[in-house]
Amino acid sequence: MRAVPPAPLRSVLTGGPGAGKSTLLAALAAKGVPTFPEVARAILQSSGGMAMRAERPMDFAMAMLDAELAAWHRAESGPALYDRGFPDIAGFLELEGLAVPDKLDQICHDLRYTGPIFRAPPWRMIYAPDSERTQDWEQAVASDTAIGSAWLRYGYALIDLPLAPIAERAAFVQYHLQ
């Protein structure tokens, strides 16, 4: 009988918009941590992405799911740290008042992240809207709540990142990834 290799370590940075996830991910990538950037931002930056988000949130969610699945499969051979994950999409849909499709629900149950799930809590001091992050502060906090609830509902424990400079946050994540 052939031994099945262990699943690669897959960890996630999650949380509401503007909490420093992408900045932290870039800092960790510079230190050699294998990372995958946020798929939603790439979709928003593509032609028609902002309109799809505003006018067809279910289509936007399914585009995020397709991109997350592609990132998942690219990390088949080694560790990975993702900027957001499948339960983030479920949280987004619930925030929009939409039902989570069976396909997404099944993926959230079946494709499990095996490493720590880090939550970047809302941090007023660093929050700033930009061309893709159009939520105001209250909406960003509501997004964090919905996303965090989705992760918990799918059986994950969240590790809150410290509200600290990027070097300290990066050291915190690296410590927990060992």
Side-chain angles (χ1 to χ4, degrees), residues 59-134:
D59 290 345
F60 180 67
M62 292 302 97
M64 287 191 293
L65 178 58
D66 291 343
E68 287 289 0
L69 282 168
W72 176 272
H73 292 298
R74 283 195 307 274
E76 288 290 328
S77 62
L81 179 61
Y82 298 89
D83 187 339
R84 300 196 178 277
F86 303 121
D88 284 82
I89 303 168
F92 163 77
L93 286 170
E94 291 165 4
L95 189 64
E96 291 292 314
L98 300 170
V100 174
D102 290 343
K103 176 183 177 182
L104 174 57
D105 184 63
Q106 195 63 50
I107 286 169
C108 287
H109 284 292
D110 292 348
L111 298 183
R112 304 296 292 176
Y113 297 95
T114 54
I117 308 302
F118 301 99
R119 174 183 165 259
W123 190 359
R124 184 79 185 234
M125 189 173 89
I126 67 169
Y127 182 78
D130 63 24
S131 59
E132 289 93 31
R133 184 186 310 121
T134 58

Side-chain angles (χ1 to χ4, degrees), residues 102-178:
D102 290 343
K103 176 183 177 182
L104 174 57
D105 184 63
Q106 195 63 50
I107 286 169
C108 287
H109 284 292
D110 292 348
L111 298 183
R112 304 296 292 176
Y113 297 95
T114 54
I117 308 302
F118 301 99
R119 174 183 165 259
W123 190 359
R124 184 79 185 234
M125 189 173 89
I126 67 169
Y127 182 78
D130 63 24
S131 59
E132 289 93 31
R133 184 186 310 121
T134 58
Q135 301 93 335
D136 63 23
W137 172 248
E138 289 75 21
Q139 291 167 324
V141 171
S143 180
D144 174 72
T145 299
I147 290 166
S149 293
W151 280 95
L152 295 173
R153 192 175 52 259
Y154 285 109
Y156 292 95
L158 302 176
I159 300 172
D160 280 357
L161 295 173
L163 302 181
I166 195 69
E168 189 176 324
R169 278 184 150 189
F172 180 88
V173 169
Q174 287 183 294
Y175 172 80
H176 285 282
L177 290 176
Q178 295 178 13

Side-chain angles (χ1 to χ4, degrees), residues 34-59:
T35 62
F36 286 90
E38 181 183 9
V39 300
R41 189 168 284 264
I43 295 165
L44 291 170
Q45 291 171 344
S46 68
S47 177
M50 291 296 289
M52 179 175 29
R53 160 68 178 87
E55 299 162 14
R56 300 183 333 271
M58 182 60 76
D59 290 345

Side-chain angles (χ1 to χ4, degrees), residues 9-20:
L9 181 70
R10 289 183 167 101
S11 295
V12 175
L13 291 175
T14 189

